[in-house]
Amino acid sequence: MSILKKQKEIDEITNVKEFYNIIKDLIHNPIVQQMKEYRQHYDTSCYDHCIEVAYWSYLYCKKNNLDYVAAARAGLLHDLFLYDWRNSKKKLNLDGLHAFVHPKIALKNASTICNLTYKEEDIIVKHMWPVTFFQFPKYKESYIITITDKISALKS
């Protein structure tokens, strides 16, 4: 095995461990665990989708000297809405279409399980930009979650 290949494997293991340490309090939370019960895109659960968005955003932010901790944590919580979005508007009496209201619902739910930084709040509530065109993200990390979220949704 080449030295470069071995170093790449070591870096990957290091990143996975660090990522886990950043989000471990969240992934063990019963409210976050409930995301496993809801389908997000095709046959991907909301939980798996959020883990993917969080991890890829964490990696990108870390590589580019951005706030990878906020990206990982908010990425995990960005879709913490806890309902079946395909047929919930009438059942839950949502105040608008899911695409427009779920970031606020996710922010409210996330705020009940941990203290969020202003950056994490911005990431969560603005992750649907440009759909929510009137709410421009304030931070680079918010844009990264937005883009990663769309890529994850398209690949599912």
Side-chain angles (χ1 to χ4, degrees):
M1 178 181 292
S2 74
I3 293 174
L4 290 177
K5 188 173 181 179
K6 188 164 185 90
Q7 185 60 50
K8 185 177 177 183
E9 288 177 6
I10 291 168
D11 291 346
E12 187 175 329
I13 291 167
T14 302
N15 285 331
V16 168
K17 285 181 179 180
E18 181 178 51
F19 175 71
Y20 173 76
N21 284 328
I22 292 168
I23 65 165
K24 69 181 172 189
D25 63 314
L26 299 175
I27 62 173
H28 295 294
N29 184 290
I31 295 171
V32 173
Q33 287 290 310
Q34 286 180 42
M35 289 194 298
K36 292 178 179 179
E37 299 172 20
Y38 300 98
R39 189 169 53 107
Q40 179 68 346
H41 304 287
Y42 304 100
D43 39 343
T44 301
S45 73
C46 189
Y47 179 86
D48 289 341
H49 163 73
C50 288
I51 289 284
E52 179 178 59
V53 169
Y55 185 67
W56 288 110
S57 299
Y58 152 82
L59 287 176
Y60 184 87
C61 288
K62 184 174 179 182
K63 182 176 182 179
N64 290 283
N65 298 314
L66 297 172
D67 189 347
Y68 58 88
V69 172
R73 293 178 68 79
L76 179 63
L77 300 171
H78 81 276
D79 277 341
L80 188 63
F81 49 81
L82 304 176
Y83 57 82
D84 179 359
W85 63 268
R86 287 162 184 79
N87 56 18
S88 291
K89 188 174 187 317
K90 290 180 184 176
K91 288 181 185 176
L92 297 174
N93 197 25
L94 295 178
D95 188 28
L97 296 174
H98 169 75
F100 297 99
V101 300
H102 84 271
K104 292 177 189 171
I105 295 169
L107 177 61
K108 181 180 174 186
N109 290 341
S111 296
T112 67
I113 62 170
C114 66
N115 293 322
L116 299 167
T117 65
Y118 292 122
K119 189 178 289 184
E120 291 167 342
E121 290 176 357
D122 189 75
I123 291 168
I124 294 167
V125 81
K126 296 178 183 170
H127 80 271
M128 285 301 291
W129 185 85
V131 172
T132 54
F133 57 89
F134 52 88
Q135 291 184 321
F136 284 89
K138 184 176 180 179
Y139 303 98
K140 291 177 183 177
E141 295 85 354
S142 301
Y143 283 99
I144 290 163
I145 295 290
T146 296
I147 293 165
T148 306
D149 183 47
K150 307 313 177 263
I151 292 169
S152 175
L154 288 172
K155 76 167 213 50
S156 294

